[in-house]
Amino acid sequence: MNAFASPAGGSVLVIGGGLVGASLAIALDAAGVAATLVEAAAPRTDAQPSYDERNLALARATVNGLEAIGVWRHAAACATPIRHIRVSRADEFGSARIDAEKHGVDALGWTLPA
């Protein structure tokens, strides 16, 4: 039995093509569920009503989840790996540094245009 089975053999309407809406539509499609995605603007970054040049920082666990539902392959080409992180506070002593290579991973996470 398919965990994503649509009600009474119908289809699913997903409103909003942001990261969550688009991911859901892709996951439903991969699971064999008919899904229609409705977005207010054409799929051009500069035409999105909420476009403000922000980026998303995705943790490795988030990317693992997106890979599991077949979404990451659509976003990976636009993603930039996070290989080094330095955490500090102005006017405070000390900082923490995390390096992906030192921990045996290709990236600690990724950034992606919103």
Side-chain angles (χ1 to χ4, degrees), residues 9-87:
S11 62
V12 175
L13 178 63
V14 178
I15 308 294
L19 180 63
V20 173
S23 296
L24 175 60
I26 292 168
L28 289 169
D29 180 65
V33 176
T36 301
L37 177 64
V38 177
E39 176 57 68
R44 287 183 25 232
T45 303
D46 60 348
Q48 296 298 316
S50 63
Y51 182 70
D52 62 7
E53 298 183 10
R54 284 189 285 181
N55 286 308
L56 303 170
L58 304 177
R60 173 172 285 283
T62 299
V63 171
N64 291 346
L66 293 173
E67 284 179 332
I69 62 172
V71 171
W72 186 245
R73 63 187 161 97
H74 299 281
C78 298
T80 301
I82 300 169
R83 294 196 172 101
H84 310 279
I85 296 176
R86 180 176 181 252
V87 182

Side-chain angles (χ1 to χ4, degrees), residues 85-89 94-98:
I85 296 176
R86 180 176 181 252
V87 182
S88 64
R89 184 172 170 154
S95 66
R97 295 175 191 257
I98 308 167

